[in-house]
Amino acid sequence: MGRRFPCSIGRGGMSRSKREGDGATPVGIHRIVGCLYRADRMARPCDWALKIGPRDLWSDDPRDEDYNLMVPAPYAHSHEKLRRADPLYDLVLITDWNWPYAERGRGSAIFIHQWRRAGYPTEGCIAFSRADLRWITARISYETRLIMRDAKSYP
């Protein structure tokens, strides 16, 4: 829709060679492939959103066959809890970074979520204000793309 939004990126900056745990946000054009939300904290943000349940986790263990996929607790491998005490994952857009067939170690859980505060870095995700994230989510269509450019991409 031609809009630009202030966002926060990974503590590792932007990367053209993303690796698991580097804290970098991958450069590229990414599709939005899913939407998760906390039904106990907000109304359903779009008709294709799925509720985050108390057992929902995201595998970030490159050694596991379910690497970069949502998995249920209990889960023996390294993972990230999707149902957080803070509001960061009240609304999560899932990107197609290293998905659906993950290359081990190339990075997992590159989400679009709410920021802690403007400019505060993420672990590699893209974060927006709650208001902007809700505005974006309500307008996503099948062809929506997230374009992440590094400084070298600009003339």
Side-chain angles (χ1 to χ4, degrees):
M1 296 182 162
R3 294 198 49 182
R4 293 174 186 241
F5 299 91
C7 69
S8 293
I9 61 168
R11 62 178 161 67
M14 302 291 291
S15 177
R16 292 181 180 276
S17 56
K18 171 79 181 137
R19 303 304 303 161
E20 186 67 46
D22 65 4
T25 300
V27 170
I29 299 173
H30 311 292
R31 291 181 307 125
I32 310 300
V33 296
C35 180
L36 306 172
Y37 76 106
R38 289 284 301 265
D40 58 324
R41 295 185 177 172
M42 69 171 49
R44 193 173 193 190
C46 57
D47 62 359
W48 47 281
L50 301 174
K51 295 177 185 177
I52 295 172
R55 296 181 58 228
D56 291 337
L57 310 171
W58 197 271
S59 173
D60 60 9
D61 189 337
R63 296 166 295 163
D64 184 56
E65 66 184 34
D66 291 323
Y67 176 58
N68 201 26
L69 295 173
M70 191 160 65
V71 294
Y75 185 70
H77 300 278
S78 177
H79 60 272
E80 190 171 350
K81 289 182 181 180
L82 294 175
R83 193 173 181 101
R84 297 172 57 118
D86 64 28
L88 296 187
Y89 285 5
D90 286 1
L91 175 56
V92 176
L93 297 172
I94 303 169
T95 71
D96 68 346
W97 175 256
N98 202 21
W99 181 93
Y101 306 107
E103 181 182 320
R104 295 181 190 281
R106 193 163 178 233
S108 63
I110 303 300
F111 298 147
I112 301 170
H113 62 76
Q114 181 179 321
W115 62 26
R116 290 183 193 279
R117 63 181 182 275
Y120 192 90
T122 68
E123 293 298 312
C125 295
I126 301 94
F128 294 96
S129 73
R130 188 176 188 94
D132 287 348
L133 182 58
R134 296 209 48 171
W135 188 94
I136 292 165
T137 301
R139 289 158 180 83
I140 289 175
S141 70
Y142 174 74
E143 298 175 6
T144 299
R145 301 292 185 259
L146 170 72
I147 301 169
M148 297 303 297
R149 298 179 183 162
D150 61 6
K152 294 176 185 174
S153 300
Y154 291 97

